[in-house]
Amino acid sequence: MCGIIGVAKKTNTEEVLGMLKRLEYRGYDSFGIATDSVFEKEVGEIKPVQNSECNMAIAHTRWATHGSVTRENAHPHSDCSNKIFLVHNGIISNYQSLKAGLKGHVFKSETDTEVIAHFFEEKLKTMDIKEAVKEFFRAAAGEFAIVLMIKGDSNLYALKRGSPLSLGVTKDGNILASDIYAFSDKTQDAIFFHEDEFAIISKAGYEFYRMYDDLEPQKKEITKVEWSGTVEKKYDHYMIKEIYEQPEAIERLQLSLQSAQKEKLENLKEMIKQSKRTVFVASGTSYHATLLGVYFLNQAGVEAHTMIASEFQNFYLVDKDTLIIAVSQSGETMDVIEALHGMKGKGAKIASFVNVPYSTIQRMSNVSVNIEAGQEICVASTKAFTNQAVGLAYLASLFNGGMDFQKVTNSIKHIISQEQKIKEIAKTLKKKEDMYIIGRGFLYPVAREVALKVKEISYIHAEGMMGGELKHGTLALIEKDTPVIALVNGKTEIVSNAMEIKARGGRIIPFTNSDTTLGDPININAEDELSFALAATVAGQLLTYHIAREKNLPIDKPRNLAKSVTVK
Ligand code: AGP
C-alpha cells in the first residue's frame, strides 16, 4: 500500500507534506521526505518538518508490509553512499534473491524497498539510467510504483508495474503521485501510467517509455480531470461527517443515474442480458454491497453471483460469456485488480461501480458507473457502501420496475434522528469483547457489514451472520448479556432466532420496523427492503462510531489499516 509523491518544481517541504497528507488514507504507520537538502523520516502520522525551499522532492506515507514500523524501515530509502533516494509503493516479491546478488552492500532496514536503491547503485556503476531501468524491469518480480531521486541529477525517475502512479502537469513543473487527489488543488491535467512504464520527469517536461523488449518512447494523453466533492471537515471526525452525508449522496446518485449516467446504465442492462451470468467481485465492505446486489438482481429474475476478490480464482470459473461487475470505493484494491486481470485473460467483459473517478478499476472496465458518494476519507466506508447498494438496487430495478429513492433517504434520516438513543446503547457496549449481528435474506449482508464496522472502528470482535446458522454452532458462545443485534423485519424466523438467544441469557438489541418483545428497539421506519437494509446499516455505523468515541479510539485512522488496500 503506501502513498508516494515526487515533485519536480520549485517547492518547499510544507507544500510536499501537504500533498502527501492527501495520500495518508493509503497508510499512516510512518512517513518520510527527501529533498535536495532535507532528509527526514519518522514513525507515526505525517507531521511538519522544518520548512525549507527546494527544487525537487520525494515523500512517502507507509503501510508496513516488510519490516516492522520503525524509523529505519520508513521511506525514503537510500543506497550505501546516500546518493540514490527512493520511495516505493508495492512489494518486490523476489527481494531476497535480488539482495543475495548485491554482494558487499550494507543494508540499513528490513524492507524489500531498500534493495531497489542498492540494485540501482550497483547497475549505475556500469550503465546509464535507462539501461539500469530495463535491467530492473527484467529482474524485479511483484508490484511497484517507484520514484527515484539521484543527488546532483535534475530529473526524477518513475517506474510503474501493478501499483498506481499518475503525473500532474502544472505550469510550474510536474508532480508524481500514487493518486490524483494529491495534486487536485494544483492542476486538472493528469497523465496515467500504464503497466511497465518508465518516465523521466523534470521541472520542464516529461518523457515516457514502455518496457516491451526494450524501452520504447510513448506519446501520452493528458486527461482533464474534473474534481467533485469537498474534503472540508466541519465535524470531529470524517466518519460522522460521512455518515450524515448519506441522504445527500443518494440524491446526487439518483440525479446522475437518471441523467448523466442513464445511457451507461442502459448499456450495462444490455450487457447483463447478453451474458450467461453476472458475477460480482469485490473486497470488504464493497463485497457486502455486492451481496445486496445479488439479492436484488435475483429478486428481479437475473442470475447473479458474487465472490470475494482475493479468492475469486480458487472458487469461480469464468468464460467469455460471463459479465464481471467489480465494485470498489477506491477503484485501486489490488485483490480486485488481480482478479480482473485473470478474467480479462479469459475473455470476460468487465463492468464496475466505482467511487474514485479515473481509478485503475474504472480504466480497466468496458462500462463503469460512478457511485457519486463524493470523497470518502475515513478508513471505514459508510457513504460509499450506501451508494454502492443504491446503485446496484437501481440496476436491478431496471429489470423489474422502478425504485423509490425518497423512501431510502427518509429511512436514513429517521435513523439519524435517533442518534442520542444509539449513543446511550453505545455506552453499554464499550466494555464488551464480543458481539453478534444476525439477519436473514437482504439483512444478512447488513449483518456482515455492521460487524465489519464494529471490528475496524470500535475494536470489538464481531460476527455478522445468517440468523438460521446460529443453531449450527455459534449459539454455544452465547452467555449472560452477550450482545446480539437482531435485524428484525417482521419475519417470524428471525424473531425465533432472537428468542433462542434471549432464552440463553443473551442481550438482544433489536433494529426493527415491527413490534417485538425482544427489547427496546432502534426503530427502522422502512417500507421496502432497500430502505430497511440501509437504515439498519446506518444505525450500525452510528453505534460503532459512538462506541469508538466512548473508548477514545482513533476513529478515522484505525490501527493497522489503510483506506486503499493496494497489496495482495
Ligand atoms: C471498509 O470499511 C473497509 N475499510 C474495507 O473493507 C474496504 O471496503 C475494502 O478494503 C475494499 O475497498 P474498496 O471498496 O476501495 O475496493
Side-chain angles (χ1 to χ4, degrees):
M1 281 156 17
C2 312
I4 66 173
I5 297 272
V7 184
K9 76 179 192 68
K10 200 167 173 34
T11 182
N12 55 59
T13 46
E14 192 182 324
E15 184 182 48
V16 176
L17 292 181
M19 287 190 260
L20 188 66
K21 193 84 186 152
R22 290 163 175 245
L23 298 183
E24 220 177 15
Y25 72 88
R26 305 177 70 88
Y28 36 79
D29 291 335
S30 59
F31 77 99
I33 180 168
T35 72
D36 13 24
S37 55
V38 165
F39 180 38
E40 296 272 0
K41 44 192 196 174
E42 256 182 72
V43 166
E45 291 178 21
I46 299 166
K47 295 178 228 25
V49 301
Q50 202 186 354
N51 197 19
S52 69
E53 304 278 311
C54 55
N55 290 308
M56 181 166 282
I58 57 174
H60 186 273
T61 182
R62 180 169 189 242
W63 185 82
T65 59
H66 292 61
S68 46
V69 181
T70 61
R71 187 183 177 278
E72 289 68 36
N73 290 334
H75 299 217
H77 287 284
S78 58
D79 64 337
C80 298
S81 56
N82 284 334
K83 192 167 175 242
I84 303 170
F85 289 84
L86 68 90
V87 287
H88 165 221
N89 167 33
I91 292 175
I92 306 296
S93 52
N94 62 340
Y95 77 103
Q96 275 166 323
S97 65
L98 293 178
K99 192 170 177 177
L102 291 163
K103 301 273 181 272
H105 286 256
V106 180
F107 291 85
K108 301 170 282 263
S109 76
E110 309 156 285
T111 63
D112 54 330
T113 301
E114 192 188 347
V115 173
I116 309 168
H118 295 276
F119 181 96
F120 276 95
E121 179 180 26
E122 193 60 35
K123 296 294 170 194
L124 290 174
K125 286 178 188 164
T126 56
M127 57 186 76
D128 69 9
I129 184 77
K130 282 193 193 160
E131 286 302 318
V133 166
K134 278 194 278 182
E135 292 279 320
F136 183 77
F137 269 115
R138 288 187 193 120
E143 295 94 39
F144 48 84
I146 298 168
V147 183
L148 283 168
M149 187 175 84
I150 303 175
K151 271 205 173 146
D153 189 329
S154 57
N155 295 320
L156 290 176
Y157 301 98
L159 292 76
K160 180 239 162 45
R161 173 182 287 165
S163 307
L165 191 59
S166 52
L167 179 72
V169 181
T170 81
K171 53 180 184 352
D172 316 316
N174 296 300
I175 303 163
L176 292 152
S178 296
D179 89 39
I180 55 178
Y181 279 135
F183 47 74
S184 61
D185 59 341
K186 311 230 170 326
T187 181
Q188 281 188 290
D189 293 344
I191 295 179
F192 296 100
F193 280 66
H194 287 132
E195 284 312 292
D196 282 4
E197 262 185 348
F198 161 62
I200 302 177
I201 309 295
S202 67
K203 189 176 164 193
Y206 50 84
E207 290 164 25
F208 276 77
Y209 299 89
R210 191 81 169 264
M211 181 71 203
Y212 293 105
D213 288 335
D214 218 331
L215 285 180
E216 289 178 18
Q218 300 293 302
K219 268 214 154 97
K220 297 293 288 187
E221 218 178 275
I222 293 189
T223 304
K224 272 264 173 244
V225 175
E226 279 171 37
W227 302 112
S228 65
T230 148
V231 294
E232 189 198 344
K233 180 178 166 187
K234 291 186 238 129
Y235 300 92
D236 290 347
H237 301 97
Y238 282 109
M239 184 176 184
I240 195 69
K241 169 181 182 283
E242 289 162 3
I243 290 173
Y244 291 158
E245 277 172 357
Q246 290 176 105
E248 163 199 330
I250 294 172
E251 281 160 17
R252 190 163 54 235
L253 178 61
Q254 176 185 8
L255 185 68
S256 170
L257 292 175
Q258 294 174 341
S259 54
Q261 300 198 90
K262 191 166 189 279
E263 209 179 305
K264 245 193 244 176
L265 266 295
E266 289 300 333
N267 289 344
L268 186 50
K269 183 181 173 188
E270 271 318 297
M271 283 165 83
I272 292 176
K273 279 190 183 161
Q274 279 161 25
S275 307
K276 267 204 202 132
R277 65 195 77 77
T278 296
V279 185
F280 290 104
V281 60
S283 304
T285 283
S286 299
Y287 169 72
H288 300 149
T290 68
L291 285 171
L292 281 171
V294 168
Y295 178 88
F296 289 119
L297 279 167
N298 288 352
Q299 293 282 309
V302 179
E303 183 189 338
H305 308 264
T306 183
M307 181 48 74
I308 287 190
S310 58
E311 287 296 336
F312 197 99
Q313 60 187 12
N314 296 324
F315 290 94
Y316 222 93
L317 275 182
V318 299
D319 59 20
K320 61 175 182 33
D321 299 318
T322 309
L323 172 67
I324 301 294
I325 305 184
V327 178
S328 173
Q329 187 287 130
S330 63
E332 299 294 349
T333 300
M334 184 54 81
D335 288 333
V336 180
I337 293 171
E338 275 287 304
L340 292 182
H341 278 307
M343 294 172 220
K344 272 204 153 178
K346 291 186 177 138
K349 297 239 168 9
I350 311 285
S352 59
F353 281 70
V354 168
N355 194 35
V356 177
Y358 314 101
S359 54
T360 305
I361 293 172
Q362 181 156 93
R363 285 179 285 123
M364 287 175 82
S365 310
N366 302 96
V367 174
S368 184
V369 177
N370 291 312
I371 60 156
E372 304 289 346
Q375 189 174 2
E376 195 180 62
I377 292 181
C378 175
V379 164
S381 185
T382 51
K383 60 178 180 168
F385 171 81
T386 294
N387 272 23
Q388 287 166 342
V390 169
L392 297 179
Y394 182 74
L395 177 65
S397 79
L398 298 180
F399 292 87
N400 67 350
M403 79 177 233
D404 192 336
F405 288 84
Q406 191 63 50
K407 282 187 179 159
V408 184
T409 48
N410 287 346
S411 299
I412 291 179
K413 285 180 186 164
H414 180 67
I415 286 298
I416 293 175
S417 72
Q418 295 174 74
E419 187 175 357
Q420 191 50 41
K421 180 168 185 182
I422 294 174
K423 217 167 163 177
E424 295 307 317
I425 298 175
K427 286 184 190 157
T428 68
L429 294 174
K430 67 178 181 192
K431 296 225 168 91
K432 295 289 175 188
E433 288 181 358
D434 298 290
M435 244 170 101
Y436 299 88
I437 299 100
I438 58 168
R440 283 175 170 254
F442 68 94
L443 292 173
Y444 162 63
V446 175
R448 296 274 308 261
E449 173 54 13
V450 172
L452 181 59
K453 290 289 97 90
V454 170
K455 282 185 278 198
E456 70 177 333
I457 301 302
S458 31
Y459 300 172
I460 294 174
H461 165 253
E463 213 177 313
M465 54 188 305
M466 298 171 180
E469 279 298 290
L470 265 177
K471 56 187 180 289
H472 297 294
T474 310
L475 209 47
L477 296 172
I478 302 299
E479 296 174 342
K480 187 171 173 340
D481 287 335
T482 303
V484 179
I485 296 176
L487 307 174
V488 180
N489 59 330
K491 298 265 167 63
T492 50
E493 293 89 345
I494 191 73
V495 175
S496 306
N497 298 144
M499 290 308 260
E500 287 152 17
I501 292 164
K502 220 176 164 186
R504 285 155 180 89
R507 173 189 166 200
I508 298 292
I509 304 162
F511 288 7
T512 186
N513 61 349
S514 46
D515 285 339
T516 77
T517 49
L518 290 166
D520 189 16
I522 295 299
N523 180 257
I524 309 279
N525 181 12
E527 291 168 45
D528 58 45
E529 293 183 337
L530 181 66
S531 303
F532 194 116
L534 293 178
T537 306
V538 175
Q541 293 167 354
L542 284 169
L543 184 65
T544 303
Y545 174 77
H546 285 293
I547 298 173
R549 276 205 84 143
E550 286 291 323
K551 293 172 80 168
N552 207 13
L553 295 176
I555 292 178
D556 288 330
K557 291 181 191 154
R559 69 182 172 210
N560 304 337
L561 299 180
K563 179 111 188 112
S564 185
V565 184
T566 57
V567 290
K568 277 191 256 176

